[in-house]
């Protein structure tokens, strides 16, 4: 009977770990088990943060709102976790103001938080130890999806954007064709990242883009 | 022994629900058990979304980045869940670019997603059924915290901002005094909310601000 008692407990454990697993899979938590880089390795940390997240806030200038900065929740992908290029791609419809804003004024930024990944421990989302990154640059629309220009129609990058996005966001494959979704990319011109005390980490676009993600990363115990 | 077996199972259950509880408390999930309003009740839904979230992306115009929209992860509070005013308050330091941007140009927006709350089921963060809201307006700094003006020093709203923020973000009480943190508020001038198919919900600032949160809210089964 003692054994039976243990078996019961084990079944309950399995069930609840399954429930926790389901929660994690739908909350935008860590997309893979790739460990967190050390905070002092800025390029590694930035690439990890972008690669592990599936969504962020894309900010554009809204002419309809007197030139106010307009943030919008979007899904993005630079590729699968630990295989990404660091370049965020988007699948946006001009039925949404962000895409139409970007076609009028390319100035934009993408802001991502570590908080929803669940790797900030109990820290406040604004605590500098809970990392945040803002990639500022220009949103460039893949012309192929506006004018069917032959040159763009053969664009390898358009295929890459589609592959990166649909692999991380499989639901996108089924989004309505008549909504005029287009592939966008953010051409990064400036990187603002805080992942510890002491202000933003010095990080150039070159250091960020040229970082090889297959470098060994490890968890820093003092951020958990 | 059968009873003992059940007791064991119950203890394991308690332990794991505790673990799940801890996770929820640190992931920016639902801050209270207030049920989700119906999607067609736009003011209720918007107030629920703002009240349940503890963080978002605050966008300002960056003169340092050629006037680009600069999004930044911030904590905010309009009050405790189901007791909020709908007006988001912030506790920002001018060591961070967002506060200094806002002092130069008040145009700004706060963007919040339902996704990290865990109430979008398995939907993609960009799926319109997973709600998103952008409050656009002006960021006004509580002058008290810049010039110690007597009038502002007695401001009831400054006390309210502090109370709203510190109750939802207790960690803020201990943030370094020499970092020159100041209380900010967003004066809402426009509301953009998508919480279902068919484009943004019509919602005026008045409807949003005058909504009484103690109205009965209920979960819509088709969004889970």
């Amino acid at each position: 009977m003692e054994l039976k008692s243990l078996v019961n407990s084990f079944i309950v454990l399995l069930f609840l770990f399954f429930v926790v697993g389901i929660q994690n899979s739908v909350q935008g938590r860590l997309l893979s088990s790739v460990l967190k880089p050390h905070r002092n390795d800025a390029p590694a940390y930035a690439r990890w943060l972008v690669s592990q997240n599936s969504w962020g806030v894309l900010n554009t200038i809204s002419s309809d709102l007197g030139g106010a900065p307009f943030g919008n929740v979007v899904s993005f992908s630079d590729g699968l976790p630990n295989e990404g290029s660091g370049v965020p791609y988007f699948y946006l419809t001009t039925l949404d103001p962000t895409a139409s804003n970007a076609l009028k004024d390319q100035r934009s930024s993408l802001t991502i938080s570590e908080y929803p990944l669940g790797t900030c421990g109990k820290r406040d989302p604004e605590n500098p130890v809970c990392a945040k990154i803002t990639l500022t640059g220009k949103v460039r629309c893949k012309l192929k999806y506006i004018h069917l220009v032959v040159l763009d129609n053969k664009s390898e990058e358009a295929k890459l954007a589609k592959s990166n996005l649909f692999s991380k966001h499989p639901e996108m494959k089924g989004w309505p064709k008549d909504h005029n979704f287009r592939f966008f990319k953010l051409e990064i011109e400036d990187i603002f990242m805080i992942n510890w005390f002491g202000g933003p980490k010095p990080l150039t676009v070159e250091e960020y883009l040229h970082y090889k993600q297959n470098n060994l990363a490890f968890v820093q115990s003092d951020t958990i």
Side-chain angles (χ1 to χ4, degrees), chain A:
Chain A
M1 293 304 281
E2 193 49 50
L3 175 63
K4 184 177 177 183
S5 147
L6 285 172
V7 168
N8 283 358
S9 307
F10 183 66
I11 290 166
V12 174
L13 268 164
L14 276 184
F15 169 72
L16 281 156
F17 279 128
F18 174 73
V19 170
V20 176
I22 290 285
Q23 286 191 336
N24 291 354
S25 71
V26 299
Q27 298 319 322
R29 308 281 201 84
L30 278 172
L31 294 176
S32 81
S33 60
V34 180
L35 296 179
K36 186 172 169 174
H38 190 280
R39 63 180 182 266
N40 293 339
D41 187 349
Y45 207 107
R47 290 290 297 275
W48 173 83
L49 196 52
V50 170
S51 174
Q52 289 294 327
N53 266 286
S54 65
W55 67 282
V57 173
L58 183 57
N59 313 295
T60 53
I61 299 288
S62 168
S63 54
D64 297 342
L65 295 168
F70 181 82
N72 203 347
V73 174
V74 298
S75 292
F76 75 90
S77 176
D78 76 320
L80 289 172
N82 214 32
E83 298 172 14
S85 62
V87 178
Y89 292 100
F90 310 91
Y91 193 48
L92 309 172
T93 163
T94 46
L95 297 177
D96 212 50
T98 297
S100 46
N101 288 347
L103 295 177
K104 295 177 197 160
D105 186 336
Q106 293 185 329
R107 290 176 297 177
S108 58
S109 68
L110 172 66
T111 307
I112 303 166
S113 171
E114 181 182 342
Y115 192 73
L117 296 182
T119 49
C120 294
K122 294 181 179 182
R123 292 184 173 85
D124 189 87
E126 198 173 300
N127 185 312
V129 172
C130 193
K132 55 186 181 179
I133 188 167
T134 300
L135 307 170
T136 308
K138 292 182 174 148
V139 169
R140 292 264 168 90
C141 183
K142 306 313 297 175
L143 288 174
K144 164 191 173 187
Y145 298 91
I146 302 176
H147 303 301
L148 294 168
V149 177
V150 177
L151 184 61
D152 250 48
N153 207 354
K154 294 177 179 175
S155 156
E156 283 306 312
E157 189 169 27
K159 294 178 194 164
L160 176 65
K162 184 174 185 176
S163 160
N164 285 351
L165 283 158
F166 288 13
S167 59
K168 213 171 208 175
H169 302 276
E171 185 190 295
M172 288 178 172
K173 295 172 192 163
W175 287 0
K177 302 300 172 206
D178 62 353
H179 276 34
N180 197 24
F181 278 97
R182 299 167 182 176
F183 292 100
F184 287 74
K185 75 176 282 190
L186 182 71
E187 291 194 347
I188 305 168
E189 294 175 349
D190 183 84
I191 299 174
F192 170 88
M193 180 179 77
I194 288 181
N195 68 344
W196 198 252
F197 306 103
K201 283 280 195 305
L203 177 59
T204 68
V205 176
E206 292 63 33
E207 290 168 336
Y208 170 85
L209 290 176
H210 295 145
Y211 170 75
K212 296 280 171 269
Q213 261 195 324
N214 52 15
N215 294 355
L216 182 63
F218 57 90
V219 170
Q220 53 199 98
S221 58
D222 53 1
T223 65
I224 301 301

